[in-house]
Amino acid sequence: MLVETDYLGRVYRQFSFDKTLGGSYARSAGLSLVHHDVAEVPNGNWLLTIDDGSKYVEDTIAELNPNTGKIVKVIDFKKIFPESMYKKSKIKANDNTSSGLGLMDWLHINTIDYDAKTGNILLSARNQDIIWSMNYQTKKINWIFTNKPTKDGLVHSISIS
């Protein structure tokens, strides 16, 4: 559910999403909730950080056309990052809506920003301690910045070509 309000709390529009956001998932526990951030793209659509309805929460973004209320694009970061990042994660969701449901919070996207000059999006994720840039159209990751040490014990900024 996404509600557009003014600063006084007057509701202008409401958007509801089903549990099978983008037609990818059909799990009753997930709730396709908008989480933390929204960014506007040049065509007037909104990029939303969301739950996708799977057992993994806060690891997906969707583009919403606010005029039609339809989702026009979904990016599921389980399809972009290595499978080991989410399959081996033991971080459980701990908010009021999903606590106790066994949902996994391996990524936890907090922020999203769209750069109209480059067509890139910039995102941060709390549970992986990363900030990354990727091309929104191609889904190609430009770079990842993290403070997590690599196998050699050093901290790196990773550039993926």
Side-chain angles (χ1 to χ4, degrees):
M1 168 79 64
L2 175 67
V3 179
E4 182 181 15
T5 66
D6 64 16
Y7 289 113
L8 298 175
R10 291 181 290 230
V11 175
Y12 292 105
R13 292 185 281 189
Q14 288 187 180
F15 304 95
S16 294
F17 312 109
D18 67 20
K19 294 178 179 126
T20 58
L21 183 66
S24 302
Y25 302 100
R27 182 172 157 86
S28 60
L31 292 175
S32 298
L33 297 171
V34 175
H35 176 77
H36 282 314
D37 209 4
V38 175
E40 189 170 355
V41 292
N43 65 5
N45 288 353
W46 301 341
L47 298 181
L48 315 170
T49 59
I50 58 161
D51 288 353
D52 65 4
S54 74
K55 78 172 193 174
Y56 300 100
V57 299
E58 300 164 11
D59 64 354
T60 304
I61 62 173
E63 181 178 341
L64 171 75
N65 180 325
N67 298 316
T68 65
K70 301 288 183 196
I71 299 292
V72 297
K73 183 174 183 173
V74 175
I75 297 178
D76 178 350
F77 287 99
K78 289 182 296 300
K79 296 177 180 174
I80 293 176
F81 287 117
E83 186 176 283
S84 61
M85 286 179 75
Y86 63 91
K87 292 257 174 143
K88 292 181 179 180
S89 175
K90 297 187 183 349
I91 303 170
K92 293 200 184 268
N94 61 5
D95 59 32
N96 292 334
T97 59
S98 57
S99 187
L101 296 176
L103 302 179
M104 303 305 291
D105 193 7
W106 71 280
L107 192 60
H108 198 107
I109 300 171
N110 278 329
T111 58
I112 185 169
D113 190 45
Y114 183 85
D115 183 342
K117 290 181 186 173
T118 63
N120 293 329
I121 53 176
L122 184 66
L123 302 108
S124 70
R126 176 185 84 186
N127 289 346
Q128 291 294 328
D129 298 322
I130 60 175
I131 299 169
W132 74 101
S133 168
M134 66 181 275
N135 182 279
Y136 181 60
Q137 294 305 316
T138 67
K139 303 178 193 170
K140 179 185 177 289
I141 295 177
N142 300 314
W143 53 262
I144 298 172
F145 182 79
T146 182
N147 67 345
K148 288 185 173 186
T150 59
K151 289 180 183 175
D152 62 8
L154 301 174
V155 174
H156 299 279
S157 175
I158 302 165
S159 181
I160 299 174
S161 309

